[in-house]
């Protein structure tokens, strides 16, 4: 029975030394999603006509030409 306790202690010690792998994966995923949302938010202000029409808009500008 002492061998089992020693083995379990060794396995637990090895598991605790795995490093920050999960934390870095989560941080990377959140960074990528946050960057995509930030890019979408910033780039939506640079539309050429400034309208949200589904048909493409631009009718006001064309009428004045």
């Amino acid at each position: 029975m002492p061998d089992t306790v020693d083995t379990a202690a060794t396995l637990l010690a090895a598991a605790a030394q795995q490093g920050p792998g999960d934390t870095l994966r989560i941080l990377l995923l959140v960074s990528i999603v946050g960057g995509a949302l930030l890019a979408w938010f910033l780039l939506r202000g640079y539309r050429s006509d400034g309208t949200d029409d589904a048909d493409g808009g631009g009718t006001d500008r064309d009428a004045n030409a």
Side-chain angles (χ1 to χ4, degrees), residues 44-65:
R44 64 183 264 238
Y46 291 106
R47 291 182 183 159
S48 61
D49 59 355
T51 61
D52 290 333
D53 295 338
D55 62 353
T59 56
D60 295 335
R61 184 177 41 186
D62 294 337
N64 293 330

Side-chain angles (χ1 to χ4, degrees), residues 17-58:
Q17 296 174 357
Q18 290 296 320
D22 291 337
T23 304
L24 290 177
R25 283 187 200 109
I26 292 170
L27 182 65
L28 182 62
L29 181 64
V30 168
S31 300
I32 291 171
V33 171
L37 287 174
L38 180 64
W40 171 78
F41 180 75
L42 292 175
L43 291 173
R44 64 183 264 238
Y46 291 106
R47 291 182 183 159
S48 61
D49 59 355
T51 61
D52 290 333
D53 295 338
D55 62 353

